[in-house]
Amino acid sequence: MIKEKLYKELVEIRHYLHAHPEVSEEEFETTKFIREKLLDWQIEILESNLKTGLVAKIGSGKPVIALRADIDALPILEETGLEFESKNKGAMHACGHDLHMTSLLGAAQLLKKQEQELKGTIKLIFQPAEEIGEGAKQVLQTGLLSDVQAFLGYHNMPTLPTGLIGLREGGVMAAVERFEIIVKGQGSHAAYPQEGRDLILASSAIVQNLQQIVSRNISPQKTAVVSITHIESGNTWNVLPNNARLEGTIRTFENEVRTLTKRRFSEIIEATAKAYDVQVEIKWLMEAEPTFNDFELTEQIRQRTEQWYDKVIYPEPSSAGEDFANYQKQAPSFFAFIGSNGPEASGLHFPDMLVQDETLKVAVEYYIQSAQHLLEYLK
C-alpha cells in the first residue's frame, strides 16, 4: 500500500477537489489543477482539442494501456456538513469523482517513479462529462487513444465497506436510455371533460401500462428497469391541459433484453395513446451501451488482485450507467467496484453521500497493480 506521506498528500488533494466541484463540460479549474500536478511530477501531457479534461502518458513502446478517471460533478446542493464541503453552491461530487481523479493522480505519481521499469506505455485519462454521457466520446475523438490495447477503470461504491474490491466478468453496469414522451390532447374546462381529450388520464395510463414490460415481457432470469421520473402538465386546478411531458429511463444489461424492452415501450405507448384518442411523440435523448468486462481481462485482474489483496468479492451488477462503456468499442476493457463507506451509507447521487479517505489507498494500488500486470500480460 502507499506510504503515509503520499496518502496525506492525496487526502489534501481530494479534499480540495471535493470543495471545488465543477459540473459536466465546465471542469476548467479542475483540469488546470490536474495539469499543474502532472507537470510538477514531470508527466507528459498529450495535447488535444479537448475543452476540459486531458490525457497524459507514462512509459514508452508497446503494449499500450489506459487508466481512466472521470472528473465532473453533479448539479446537487451538498448536505454533508464536511469541513471541505462544496464551495460551489449547487454543485457537488455526489458520485465520488473527486476520489477517482485523486487516486489516478496518486497512481500517476508512483508509476512515473517506476517509468524505466515499465514494460510499455500507460495513458492516463482524466475524462470530463461522464454524468451527461458525452466525455468518453470526446476523448476518443481526439485520436489520442487509437493505439490503446486495454482500458481499465473503477467506480467507488459508497454502500460497500471501505476498501472492498468487486470484480466480475460480463455486464457490470447497465445500458442507459433516457426518454421523453410528449402527449398531446385537447384541453377543456375541468367541468366539461367530454369536450376535450383528457391527456392527464392518458398519461396516467401510459405510466401504469409501461410497468407491465418488466413483469410480463422480460424473463425472471433477466434484468430490466423502466422508470418514469418526471411528469409535467397543466398549470391550474380547473382546466384540463393540452399537453404533457414525461421523462424517464430504461436500464438493461443484454442487447436482446434491451431491444425487446424498447420495442414493447413504443408499442405500449402508441396503443395506449390510440385507446385514449391522444397523440404521442417519443424522443430518445440518450442511449449508452452497457459496461461489459472482457472475460480474459477479468481473469487476469482477478488473479493479480488476489495476490496482493484479500478483500475481493463477486459483486452484483449495478443498474446505474457509465460512459466508460464507450472505450470497449475500441479495445477490451475492465471496470471494478471499490467500496468507499459501508452498507448504511447513502448511495451515489445523494446530497449527503460520504466517501472515506481510506479508499484512496486501495484505489491507487488497484490502478498500479493492474496496470503493471496488464503490461506484462499483453507483452
Side-chain angles (χ1 to χ4, degrees), residues 48 94 109 118-119 193 206 218 251 281 289 291 333 367:
S48 72
Q109 185 180 154
L118 292 178
K119 299 177 180 179
I206 287 172
I218 307 302
R251 306 295 170 107
E281 180 184 0
E289 300 294 320
T291 301
S333 65
Y367 273 135

Side-chain angles (χ1 to χ4, degrees), residues 1 17 34 102 144 168 185 189 192 194 314 344:
M1 292 292 180
L17 291 170
I34 294 169
T102 303
L144 295 176
R168 68 173 293 138
H189 193 293
Y192 305 99
Q194 75 278 6
Y314 189 80
E344 305 303 317

Side-chain angles (χ1 to χ4, degrees), residues 185-350:
Q186 176 62 54
S188 70
H189 193 293
Y192 305 99
Q194 75 278 6
E195 296 179 358
R197 296 194 302 278
D198 189 351
L199 59 84
I200 296 291
L201 187 60
S203 298
S204 300
I206 287 172
V207 173
Q208 291 194 63
N209 290 342
L210 286 176
Q211 300 312 306
Q212 299 173 32
I213 296 175
V214 174
S215 65
R216 288 298 176 265
N217 296 126
I218 307 302
S219 165
Q221 309 304 319
K222 306 292 184 179
T223 300
V225 175
V226 178
S227 292
I228 303 291
T229 58
H230 180 201
I231 302 176
E232 182 179 329
S233 185
N235 51 33
T236 191
W237 68 278
N238 62 349
V239 177
L240 291 171
N242 289 312
N243 53 67
R245 186 168 72 93
L246 291 71
E247 289 185 295
T249 185
I250 295 172
R251 306 295 170 107
T252 54
F253 289 92
E254 300 177 37
N255 287 331
E256 180 183 351
V257 174
R258 186 182 191 187
T259 300
L260 172 60
T261 303
K262 291 180 68 177
R263 177 173 64 80
R264 291 297 293 139
F265 179 88
S266 297
E267 290 172 348
I268 287 171
I269 291 173
E270 290 165 3
T272 305
K274 184 176 181 180
Y276 285 84
D277 195 22
V278 298
Q279 287 76 48
V280 290
E281 180 184 0
I282 301 169
K283 298 180 180 180
W284 298 102
L285 304 180
M286 184 175 78
E287 296 179 272
E289 300 294 320
T291 301
F292 186 90
N293 282 343
D294 179 82
F295 283 81
E296 281 189 44
L297 287 187
T298 303
E299 185 57 29
Q300 290 300 317
I301 298 298
R302 185 189 309 282
Q303 289 179 14
R304 181 57 169 251
T305 304
E306 290 176 346
Q307 289 175 5
W308 66 268
Y309 203 55
D310 61 358
K311 295 180 181 178
V312 180
I313 64 167
Y314 189 80
E316 292 292 322
S318 169
S319 55
E322 241 296 346
D323 82 343
F324 182 82
N326 287 283
Y327 297 114
Q328 70 196 25
K329 297 177 184 178
Q330 177 178 308
S333 65
F334 180 78
F335 199 75
F337 296 148
I338 300 181
S340 55
N341 200 334
E344 305 303 317
S346 294
L348 302 170
H349 293 209
F350 279 78

Side-chain angles (χ1 to χ4, degrees), residues 49-67:
N49 60 356
L50 285 172
K51 184 173 70 171
T52 55
L54 59 85
V55 179
K57 186 186 84 163
I58 298 172
S60 61
K62 292 186 177 181
V64 182
I65 67 169
L67 308 180

